[in-house]
Amino acid sequence: MITLVLSGMVLGYTWLLGTGCSGEPVRATVVAAPDIKEPLSVLARAWERDEPSVGGRCIGVEIKEKSSSDVANKLTSWNTVTDGPRPHVWIPDSSVWIQMAESSEASAAMIPDKTPPVAASPTVIAMPKPMAEALGWQTDGTPVDLEPSWPNLLKLAESSSWADFDSPEWGDIKLGMSNPRNSTAGMHALLSLTDIDRNGNVDSDELDNVIRLKQVLSESPTDTDAILQELSQMTAEDDLNGYVSAFPALERDVWRYNNYMQNGVELTAVYPADGSIDADHPVAVLQNVEWTDETYQEIGWRFASFITSDAGRAVLLDAAFRDGTRRTGGDALNDTAGLTPQIDESQRGPVLPTAVTGTMAAWQALSRPANVLVVVDTSESMGAPVLHNGEEVTRLEAVRRELSDALGLFGSQANVGLWEYSTASYYDSPDYIELVPISKFDSAQEDAINYAAQQMVPGGGSALYDTAAAAYERLLNNYNDEAGAANLVVIISDGGNEDDNGGFGLADLESHLDSLSSVDRNKKASIVTIGFGSDIDEDALTTIAEATQGRFFEAEWNDQLKPQLLNALFNAV
């Protein structure tokens, strides 16, 4: 009998070795990121040849391939028809996808506390070799005046051109970026660019880098594989004229290109001097779901132990991964031009889940058409004092400041409007006021919304139900039918419904919202609600949101307001 030890964690599983097994193997489904699927399949076959068993019954694993972003989004809504077999084990290519999944309470319950990494591939700045040499960013350790990093590269793209580096024929310094919502390399680069101080958090000033990045990105191609494919067709430096100068990639992408795709222009992996986030391929043996049990969990941990053994490590190193130490690569990396076998730069520490969510939301805001009506509670309780960045202000002022920051992340593809609601609005008026109609979010619209927000004054009660009904109807009448557009009413409230003037009850409102949405089922519009403070009516705010397939977000404390506001605006549906 032996005890399984994995990454310093003792897993209380023991088993008999070398005794053989019988029967058709019980196989756990391992859903893995595409880049590691093949070596895992090799290891799965090798493991089964050793006849591992549980209680005398043969066991094994079946490796399935699925993008990490897909799994993170579908863990709690898995469809076996469209998504394939349900996973007993999930191996994404980055721990950040684990964090993204854990932003959902239901998904978080499925993921164990320990998700040990099994193979690493650092995120690098991929550049055509002549361009890296022009900057002095070679892989041979040559000292340079400007340290290689994503922030420095962003500055170069904003204020320099290749003429400043004696290569005017290449034109501007252009950055490429795969969509960080489904690209691990893109997401890692974006987080490195925003978390500049490496404290794991991202403040509003750091989020501004998302806007700066979007302004300098090359319009095409924007996908890493597409960039690599086009580069593989370039046979001379002159082909680089006006082409993408740098883009995020995993070290293994550069290895694959230089070994299997490259026809002419060699690619160089530039290792950021301020550290990088690794694609660390963590193992998550799923729990608390009806399709798994102790047997499948033991199979998962047993297979994890095998792939981190010397035999498993050898296969992964041969496939151009690094082991958990990340410092030294195997022969596959040592023999590939453009790579640095020995990495001196450190791995970046983990980024807080709220920072990941906020950064992704900011990117989404700048990438996705949006049609948003923001509705702010201005009832008397919004005059209560709170601390905002060390300053005592009213709840309404805190909302006003955070809303201004969040709206600043919208691009010109958005339409935005602003309402306020309170029973003290005007005598004999409705319980809500349209301050700024929904319109294209250009600089004039942004100024109008910020000015109107400054004029809001707390007073009266909260006419939540009537306002929700009217706002949803207004949004449907101003619907944006562009592909992928988000049509949202965002209600910010610190209480519930306090309207003494009649109108909707909660049950009537729920029925009314359903009837509005059923008029045209092609219009996918939602209400998302944010409860700010400790006195919110969570049941009412949740009911209103769910009646339109939206979500409720709670911000009990002031420091939760911004991330939840970002969630509500950009990541709610």
Side-chain angles (χ1 to χ4, degrees), residues 135-182:
L135 292 181
W137 288 0
Q138 301 105 320
T139 59
D140 60 5
T142 303
V144 294
D145 293 333
L146 185 67
E147 281 192 333
S149 69
W150 286 108
N152 283 340
L153 193 58
L154 177 58
K155 291 176 184 177
L156 289 174
E158 288 177 319
S159 59
S160 302
S161 71
W162 284 115
D164 298 316
F165 298 92
D166 301 322
S167 300
E169 69 276 10
W170 292 336
D172 293 331
I173 296 175
K174 294 184 177 181
L175 305 187
M177 172 73 80
S178 48
N179 188 342
R181 294 191 66 82
N182 52 42

Side-chain angles (χ1 to χ4, degrees), residues 476-559:
L476 291 173
N477 290 335
N478 289 269
Y479 190 80
N480 183 345
D481 59 4
E482 289 184 68
N487 286 271
L488 301 174
V489 173
V490 179
I491 298 177
I492 305 172
S493 171
D494 73 339
N497 189 71
E498 304 166 342
D499 188 359
D500 296 328
N501 299 322
F504 286 104
L506 184 57
D508 292 336
L509 172 62
E510 187 176 11
S511 176
H512 181 67
L513 293 174
D514 181 67
S515 66
L516 286 174
S517 61
S518 66
V519 171
D520 186 348
R521 291 297 187 184
N522 292 320
K523 290 185 176 181
K524 306 297 183 183
S526 299
I527 299 175
V528 294
T529 55
I530 301 176
F532 179 35
S534 57
D535 301 319
I536 59 173
D537 186 339
E538 182 174 341
D539 288 342
L541 294 172
T542 300
T543 298
I544 292 170
E546 291 182 349
T548 59
Q549 289 72 55
R551 291 174 59 188
F552 162 70
F553 298 89
E554 182 177 6
E556 183 175 355
W557 307 108
N558 186 55
D559 59 359

